[in-house]
């Protein structure tokens, strides 16, 4: 179970590091994230900015906690799992209102949040739970197993962070199929 927990930890560190960096890389990026938060939660500009700062700070704290050993990492898994649950609820609420707000989870995506984001977040919640359950006080003992665990986490982390871009590219490449599924 230690290998699975290590993969989960690496995956979530990659995902949340990319999320934080994409929001903080410039005032335009953070401003776009603030507008996204306002759209999801129907907040005033002032409250939207405060919530955006809170989310970004919590994401950064999650990364730090996940990088620390044993019980502290379990707190990191709990924090990111709770955040993912809140993000999922916000996306679901906006979809129920008929609003497709750009997610801005990982930066520049302009496509509106939809069912793919709910599925992605469900997967990441499962990753957080699996990581918390499997975390112990040490690293995996076999070096080959550690390499596989880290590699798996890295690959899956990258896939999750580019999922919006891949989805948009596929919609652009196959516009007829995309229109049929929207009816």
């Amino acid at each position: 179970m230690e290998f699975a927990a290590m993969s989960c930890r690496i995956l979530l560190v990659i995902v949340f590091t990319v999320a934080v960096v994409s929001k903080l890389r410039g005032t335009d990026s953070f401003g776009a994230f603030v507008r996204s938060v306002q759209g999801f939660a129907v907040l005033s500009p002032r409250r939207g900015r405060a919530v955006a700062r809170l989310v970004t700070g919590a994401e950064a704290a999650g990364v730090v906690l996940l990088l620390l050993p044993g019980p502290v990492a379990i707190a990191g898994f709990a924090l990111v799992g709770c955040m993912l649950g809140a993000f999922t609820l916000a996306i679901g609420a906006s979809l129920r209102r008929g609003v497709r707000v750009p997610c801005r989870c990982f930066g520049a995506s302009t496509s509106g949040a939809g069912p793919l984001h709910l599925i992605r977040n469900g997967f990441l919640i499962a990753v957080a739970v699996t990581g918390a359950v499997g975390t112990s006080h040490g690293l995996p003992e076999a070096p080959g197993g550690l390499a596989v665990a880290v590699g798996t986490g890295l690959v899956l982390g990258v896939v999750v962070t580019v999922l919006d871009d891949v989805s948009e590219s596929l919609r652009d490449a196959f516009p007829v199929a995309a229109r049929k599924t929207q009816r």
Side-chain angles (χ1 to χ4, degrees):
M1 193 60 130
E2 290 179 20
F3 294 128
M6 181 58 67
S7 290
C8 293
R9 189 184 298 208
I10 297 296
L11 188 159
L12 292 171
V13 164
I14 295 292
V15 166
F16 281 91
T17 299
V18 170
V20 169
V21 169
S22 72
K23 292 172 183 93
L24 298 180
R25 71 175 175 234
T27 54
D28 291 342
S29 299
F30 190 74
F33 178 61
V34 169
R35 288 187 296 281
S36 176
V37 168
Q38 292 166 339
F40 277 118
V42 191
L43 297 171
S44 69
R46 190 170 136 218
R47 287 193 176 159
R49 183 166 293 284
V51 169
R53 286 183 180 135
L54 178 68
V55 165
T56 306
E59 288 174 336
V63 169
V64 171
L65 292 173
L66 286 168
L67 290 172
L68 296 173
V72 178
I74 293 171
F77 282 119
L79 176 60
V80 299
C82 288
M83 283 190 299
L84 288 160
F87 300 160
T88 303
L89 291 174
I91 293 168
S94 74
L95 291 174
R96 280 193 301 280
R97 289 191 323 265
V99 177
R100 297 223 28 193
V101 178
C103 182
R104 304 291 183 175
C105 308
F106 306 114
S109 176
T110 57
S111 66
L116 179 63
H117 295 86
L118 296 174
I119 293 166
R120 179 197 63 206
N121 286 358
F123 167 73
L124 291 173
I125 290 168
V127 167
V129 169
T130 301
V133 169
T135 296
S136 68
H137 296 287
L139 292 174
E141 292 179 20
L146 178 60
V148 170
V150 169
T152 301
L154 285 170
V155 168
L156 290 175
V158 169
V159 168
V160 167
T161 60
V162 300
L163 193 57
D164 280 351
D165 297 329
V166 171
S167 175
E168 284 179 36
S169 295
L170 289 174
R171 268 194 303 265
D172 292 344
F174 302 103
V176 174
R179 274 186 263 130
K180 284 183 182 178
T181 60
Q182 290 176 353
R183 290 184 187 171

